[in-house]
Amino acid sequence: MPKTSLDKSKIKILLLEGVHQTAVDNFKASGYTNIEYHPKSLSEADLLTAIEDAYFVGIRSRTQLTEEVFAAAKKLVAVGCFCIGTNQVELYSALIRGIPVFNAPYSNTRSVAELVLGEMIMLMRGIPHKSRECHKGGWIKSAEGSYEVRGKTLGIVGYGNIGSQLSVLAEALGLKVIYYDVVTKLAMGNAHQVDTLDELLAQSDVVSLHVPELNSTKWMIAAEQLGKMKAGAHLINASRGSVVVIEDLADVLKSGHLAGAAIDVFPVEPRSNDDEFVSPLRDLDNVILTPHIGGSTLEAQENIGKEVSEKLIRYSDNGTTTFAVNFPEVALPAHPGKHRLLHIHENIPGVLSEVNRVLSENGINVSSQYLQTNEKVGYVVVDVDREYSQQALEALKNVKGTVRSRVLF
Ligand SMILES: NC(=O)C1=CN([C@@H]2O[C@H](COP(=O)(O)OP(=O)(O)OC[C@H]3O[C@@H](n4cnc5c(N)ncnc54)[C@H](O)[C@@H]3O)[C@@H](O)[C@H]2O)C=CC1
Ligand SMILES: O=C(O)CCC(=O)C(=O)O
């Protein structure tokens, strides 16, 4: 089992929001036994305390890792987002402290696509309203306002991993698919990319949103865009709550311009299952409301647990940063018979030559070296003979621009 500079049993792993047991099992199997597990998110104050002595933290979408949290997390080595979105993490605050952030970009995509597909059918048949009436003892046996999805147009905004899977599934049901994306994307099947969001809004019977939370996607669907949708169309949002102005959506649903909506994500979401969900969409009959569970299937959570814990363990044991979302990516081989120095530094001119000068002046023989940089940070990895590693580590810590460094035995 690979050794880190610190005894693995002392490396605290903080896991929040009930990440799947597969993550716990993986850490334990790799020798990381100091695991603090919380089935829910923590309050801000509790988070600040719990993260103080944590080396790794695993979160889902609720926990906000802000500048203040990073400032308190003096020992933090890496972050694992057990989900796709990383908008809940101040990625820059992590980067400048030399903390890579990992996520699971694929594992729950199918779950989201399946949910959206089901919702689309439910909305086109007016099921939310009919079901509610049945629960109250009513009986609306009527075809009025009910349609097959076959032959209708689905407009997908954001044709990435989720949007493109949804496209394939929807075509199998006989829908015509169009999509809008800021990047030119290869169409799946017979789908067709349109040039503007307005074009998509004007043509679609159902619009489904699958963009990440970015400055450019914030409130991108407001009264103006909703007004451009076809009368009687439906809106589905399982992306992020910041993409849709929820009050504007409530207005167009009340006015009858849109026939229905299915919303999984909200501008403000309850911190825990015990808190009240407040939304202007509550009590609207033609709306399916779900508590941010697009990716919450047992299959997805199990896979995410494995995927993200493996990325964290690999970084801890071997230094590999492949697929980090904010950090220079370095894929490293095993280092049998050598000790490995990891040096994270500000990306300023001359650091690499200074690293090599220091190693050379200390008589340290380098057997291999790897480097990647991004606009802010450089990550250099040096494999050296065992007897020199502590001496080399001390020397490297003094190099100007050093953010942090560690050694793997
Ligand atoms: N409801 C839930 O439980 C879940 C929600 N999500 C959300 O779904 C989002 C999308 O996931 P993926 O498809 O995996 O992401 P992705 O990164 O594969 O795809 C996003 C697509 O959006 C496009 N895009 C970016 N800005 C755009 C803009 N202004 N207009 C149009 N297109 C734009 C990108 O070019 C890309 O093709 C995630 O970022 C996450 O926030 C993801 C998983 C579960
Ligand atoms: O399951 C979660 O906690 C969040 C899912 C999500 O929104 C994501 O993967 O980005």
Side-chain angles (χ1 to χ4, degrees):
M1 193 179 287
K3 283 188 167 175
T4 53
S5 43
L6 200 64
D7 178 352
K8 282 189 179 178
S9 65
K10 295 200 168 66
I11 296 181
K12 174 171 154 182
I13 318 268
L14 176 64
L15 295 179
L16 306 176
E17 301 187 53
V19 304
H20 197 273
Q21 182 64 27
T22 47
V24 177
D25 295 344
N26 251 352
F27 281 119
K28 286 191 175 158
S30 301
Y32 297 90
T33 51
N34 183 2
I35 298 172
E36 184 177 318
Y37 185 88
H38 295 267
K40 295 180 179 175
S41 60
L42 298 178
S43 69
E44 276 167 42
D46 288 346
L47 176 62
L48 287 173
T49 308
I51 210 163
E52 225 171 19
D53 57 347
Y55 288 81
F56 293 88
V57 63
I59 60 167
R60 291 175 60 183
S61 56
R62 242 177 222 157
T63 305
Q64 303 294 311
L65 295 184
T66 58
E67 167 61 28
E68 190 192 359
V69 174
F70 281 111
K74 296 283 182 237
K75 293 184 172 168
L76 200 61
V77 171
V79 171
C81 295
F82 286 71
C83 54
I84 293 179
T86 52
N87 51 289
Q88 70 282 37
V89 180
E90 294 272 2
L91 295 175
Y92 184 76
S93 299
L95 174 66
I96 57 169
R97 291 176 171 84
I99 298 173
V101 177
F102 299 93
N103 71 340
Y106 309 110
S107 295
N108 64 15
T109 54
R110 170 73 188 208
S111 301
V112 178
E114 281 189 14
L115 179 69
V116 169
L117 199 69
E119 289 177 336
M120 200 162 56
I121 297 172
M122 295 295 142
L123 288 172
M124 298 277 276
R125 299 291 291 271
I127 299 300
H129 174 56
K130 292 190 175 88
S131 170
R132 197 181 291 213
E133 283 305 309
C134 282
H135 280 285
K136 291 194 290 194
W139 190 253
I140 310 174
K141 184 168 166 55
S142 161
E144 189 64 34
S146 275
Y147 302 95
E148 292 183 349
V149 294
R150 179 171 53 161
K152 306 299 180 300
T153 299
L154 168 64
I156 298 174
V157 182
Y159 204 66
N161 295 317
I162 296 174
S164 57
Q165 276 193 71
L166 174 63
S167 171
V168 173
L169 296 172
E171 280 205 324
L173 285 178
L175 282 121
K176 178 182 170 203
V177 177
I178 58 174
Y179 60 93
Y180 169 69
D181 200 295
V182 283
V183 174
T184 302
K185 292 275 175 135
L186 177 71
M188 299 282 142
N190 295 315
H192 168 66
Q193 182 158 12
V194 295
D195 293 333
T196 63
L197 179 60
D198 283 359
E199 226 178 299
L200 179 136
L201 297 172
Q203 291 179 31
S204 304
D205 298 298
V206 181
V207 172
S208 193
L209 307 173
H210 299 287
V211 290
E213 180 174 287
L214 302 170
N215 285 339
S216 55
T217 60
K218 204 160 189 181
W219 315 132
M220 77 186 281
I221 303 294
E224 185 188 339
Q225 289 70 31
L226 294 165
K228 288 177 177 167
M229 286 176 68
K230 276 167 111 170
H234 299 86
L235 180 76
I236 301 180
N237 185 18
S239 61
R240 280 293 177 266
S242 56
V243 176
V244 177
V245 179
I246 208 85
E247 294 79 12
D248 293 357
L249 176 62
D251 288 345
V252 291
L253 287 163
K254 284 178 195 158
S255 76
H257 176 60
L258 291 193
I263 307 295
D264 186 48
V265 287
F266 303 87
V268 179
E269 296 179 4
R271 182 176 283 279
S272 84
N273 288 355
D274 304 327
D275 294 346
E276 189 184 354
F277 165 64
V278 179
S279 169
L281 300 179
R282 265 175 51 177
D283 298 325
L284 294 185
D285 255 6
N286 48 351
V287 181
I288 299 173
L289 295 174
T290 48
H292 199 152
I293 40 79
S296 294
T297 60
L298 293 178
E299 294 92 338
Q301 293 309 312
E302 181 176 343
N303 288 333
I304 290 173
K306 279 187 204 149
E307 182 180 340
V308 180
S309 58
E310 273 163 19
K311 287 176 177 169
L312 293 174
I313 292 165
R314 204 174 310 130
Y315 179 56
S316 183
D317 285 357
N318 156 289
T320 288
T321 51
T322 326
F323 306 122
V325 298
N326 65 334
F327 206 77
E329 291 187 58
V330 178
L332 296 162
H335 54 287
K338 301 285 172 190
H339 284 178
R340 174 165 284 169
L341 300 161
L342 313 177
H343 185 260
I344 301 164
H345 51 267
E346 291 168 42
N347 186 6
I348 48 177
V351 177
L352 188 60
S353 60
E354 186 61 11
V355 163
N356 286 329
R357 189 188 66 74
V358 163
L359 292 173
S360 151
E361 275 185 2
N362 282 273
I364 292 157
N365 189 33
V366 172
S367 62
S368 27
Q369 192 170 60
Y370 313 82
L371 169 78
Q372 280 296 338
T373 60
N374 66 15
E375 69 292 344
K376 196 71 194 164
V377 156
Y379 179 38
V380 65
V381 178
V382 190
D383 290 346
V384 300
D385 293 339
R386 292 174 175 194
E387 58 270 35
Y388 295 120
S389 61
Q390 277 306 339
Q391 181 189 340
L393 184 66
E394 286 316 311
L396 285 187
K397 278 183 178 162
N398 295 324
V399 169
K400 185 167 175 277
T402 299
V403 175
R404 66 203 305 173
S405 54
R406 64 186 171 111
V407 63
L408 303 175
F409 298 125

